[in-house]
Amino acid sequence: MMLPAALLLLGALIAVVAPRLLARADWPDREPVVALWVWQCVVAAVLVCCALSMTLSAAAAWHAVGGHVFATAPSPVVEAYAPGTAGPWAAATAVALAVGGLWSAAMLVREIGGARARGRRRRADLLVRAPLLPGEVAVSGRLVVLESEQPDAWWQPGTPPQLVVTTAALRRLKGRQLDAVLAHEQGHARARHDWLLNCSSALAGGFPQVPVFAAFRDEMHRLVELAADDTASRRFGRLTTALALVELNEHRGVFGPCPTPLAHVPARVHRLLTPPDRLPAARRLRLTATAALVPVVPVLVAFAPGLRALG
């Protein structure tokens, strides 16, 4: 049965073609939220291809699995898929894909566990550096001010989540710049960008040899910052948000000739100061709808023999 192999080839095709098309397109920086959605749909389509191929391979290799998969299917559909009649390649494919799925789950658990452990350490450090006053109760969204000579601000996920800003940042940020920085961090929190970063890092860490997962991780880290920048700039203006970015990062040397881990900051500032035109609403809707259909394609391919049998 060639359907599992066709699904794997389809997944490989999506994994190769989609990132190249996105890299050549000029709209992701103009619409980072739409680009985030498109990337998620692309990776979901690749994973769906693998999951369906594993399921159909297992059904073709073992009667017991095929009986469960096609338990409620009409006889013509079962005959179209011919479960339990494949050679040893089907069993090997099913086992390999199952191992890959378990490995992905383990990497995700490790990534989430590591993120939570880091969060617990940071919250404990926050309690040491900024303890609650007698009678004070920790609440969601509480603003924590830390004494520090390094200007910085970040959102600390957890229970409860907290906004953290240093005293150096309070001294450097003028007027509405602080509001823009806090709106940026709140944008990350409302969109749950930490989950996107955890999932993309888990896939890239678990399968470093798969380029689409590495590109997914890199683009998630870049696009979530652009999306949060847009959230802040819509409320407080692009110039204010750009100046706030400069004030927070100038001391890190990111605007010098030597590359740094924060080399994306100058590009973000340039984007804020020279804003690209947004896509028309109709095109944004088309892109969103088209991306949502990408994970549906492997499902249609998998169901094609059964649909033909019923027809």
Side-chain angles (χ1 to χ4, degrees), residues 31 46 79 133 155 230 236 252:
E31 298 293 344
V46 174
E79 293 172 1
L133 298 175
W155 178 268
D230 288 347
F236 300 103
R252 297 186 173 100

Side-chain angles (χ1 to χ4, degrees), residues 2 43 116 120 160 163 187 215 219 233 246 270:
M2 297 303 296
V43 173
R116 289 183 175 178
R120 286 192 295 269
L163 276 169
E219 284 298 286
S233 65
V246 172
H270 177 75

Side-chain angles (χ1 to χ4, degrees), residues 73-110:
S75 297
V77 173
V78 178
E79 293 172 1
Y81 288 95
T85 60
W89 62 267
T93 301
V95 170
L97 291 173
V99 170
L102 291 174
W103 180 249
S104 299
M107 291 298 101
L108 181 59
V109 170
R110 186 187 72 170

Side-chain angles (χ1 to χ4, degrees), residues 31-40 193 196 219-220 223-224 227:
E31 298 293 344
V33 174
V34 177
L36 285 169
W37 169 249
V38 172
W39 269 104
Q40 291 175 74
H193 287 160
L196 273 179
E219 284 298 286
M220 290 303 97
L223 290 171
V224 297

